[in-house]
Amino acid sequence: EADIYQTPRYLVIGTGKKITLECSQTMGHDKMYWYQQDPGMELHLIHYSYGVNSTEKGDLSSESTVSRIRTEHFPLTLESARPSHTSQYLCASTPTRSYEQYFGPGTRLTVT
Amino acid sequence: AQKITQTQPGMFVQEKEAVTLDCTYDTSDQSYGLFWYKQPSSGEMIFLIYQGSYDEQNATEGRYSLNFQKARKSANLVISASQLGDSAMYFCAMREGRSSGATNKLIFGTGTLLAVQP
């Protein structure tokens, strides 16, 4: 089982601020993912990565960006937060030759 | 296009009874996988069980079993001997198959909120 960490767990921030949501995993998993989930709704993939220097946009269009400079780290950045970005953001990873996605605890973002 | 359908927005079950959560899927891929995740009110996603499309046996993990009916494209989750701690949102998800590039991306259903009553 993977150890996946997300910080912060909760964030309340004003419109226009730049924010970075952190995601780290300690198991050396090559594939990592970011999902967005509105309250009581399904998860939608917004970004994924197959490895270092590999990032792709997911099925749901997002104004956020990601980077993968190190295997264990997959941060998500919003250059200018807006109330429409209020949501929960979940990070996940998958080991090589496996299908199971292990999730972090999530970051609940509120933009006022 | 791949799609997951969960038709039960909410379910009630008495403690110690079994409950079935429905999930149907749509895909043209021959190779795919189906997952169930549990999401308590705290928000984290907890992996419960996985079924590959070529697996002949239904997957089981403790009190969880997956009733896989390939011809009907259904992958229902059965929870036996429900416990109060089972109260949560349950999501069915599908892994895209090899024809989509083996991205391993997951497509989620809308979830079923299960309430276990004492």
Side-chain angles (χ1 to χ4, degrees):
Chain A
E1 191 166 313
D3 291 324
I4 303 180
Y5 307 96
Q6 288 187 246
T7 57
R9 291 292 313 276
Y10 303 91
L11 179 62
V12 181
I13 200 162
T15 298
K17 300 291 186 182
K18 178 180 178 179
I19 58 171
T20 296
L21 307 184
E22 301 289 349
C23 175
S24 296
Q25 48 93 5
T26 59
M27 300 300 288
H29 292 175
D30 50 358
K31 299 183 183 69
M32 295 189 74
Y33 310 83
W34 275 105
Y35 292 88
Q36 183 175 343
Q37 183 187 27
D38 292 333
M41 304 295 286
E42 67 266 46
L43 283 71
H44 292 285
L45 182 70
I46 52 175
H47 298 285
Y48 61 99
S49 168
Y50 289 141
V52 171
N53 294 325
S54 153
T55 61
E56 301 285 344
K57 287 190 178 295
D59 303 321
L60 180 68
S61 176
S62 174
E63 295 169 343
S64 59
T65 59
V66 292
S67 62
R68 189 90 183 273
I69 299 173
R70 291 181 287 141
T71 299
E72 62 272 19
H73 196 213
F74 191 40
L76 181 146
T77 298
L78 277 165
E79 290 293 332
S80 179
R82 297 191 305 197
S84 61
H85 296 140
T86 295
S87 190
Q88 172 159 257
Y89 294 84
L90 289 150
C91 181
S93 70
T94 300
T96 306
R97 291 184 292 276
S98 174
Y99 298 125
E100 297 165 15
Q101 288 193 17
Y102 297 97
F103 283 80
T107 294
R108 294 196 181 186
L109 172 66
T110 302
V111 183
T112 60
Chain B
Q2 284 93 344
K3 185 178 179 181
I4 292 284
T5 301
Q6 294 180 255
T7 57
Q8 305 156 312
M11 290 276 289
F12 289 97
V13 65
Q14 289 294 123
E15 193 177 8
K16 299 180 184 176
E17 292 186 350
V19 62
T20 298
L21 306 184
D22 294 340
C23 173
T24 58
Y25 59 92
D26 188 17
T27 181
S28 56
D29 288 324
Q30 296 301 310
S31 175
Y32 53 90
L34 296 152
F35 299 77
W36 277 93
Y37 283 88
K38 172 184 178 181
Q39 187 177 44
S41 57
S42 53
E44 73 270 30
M45 295 286 284
I46 302 168
F47 167 76
L48 295 179
I49 198 166
Y50 171 78
Q51 178 87 41
S53 59
Y54 292 120
D55 294 340
E56 295 184 354
Q57 303 268 10
N58 284 344
T60 60
E61 289 287 347
R63 294 187 298 112
Y64 305 108
S65 60
L66 199 152
N67 184 2
F68 182 46
Q69 298 188 40
K70 197 170 183 176
R72 299 177 63 179
K73 292 190 174 179
S74 74
N76 299 339
L77 177 70
V78 180
I79 305 175
S80 62
S82 298
Q83 301 172 356
L84 296 177
D86 293 335
S87 295
M89 183 74 94
Y90 288 81
F91 288 97
C92 181
M94 180 167 61
R95 169 183 61 83
E96 292 187 342
R98 293 194 179 276
S99 66
S100 302
T103 61
N104 210 45
K105 296 185 290 183
L106 293 183
I107 301 163
F108 285 83
T110 52
T112 296
L113 183 62
L114 177 66
V116 180
Q117 297 176 319

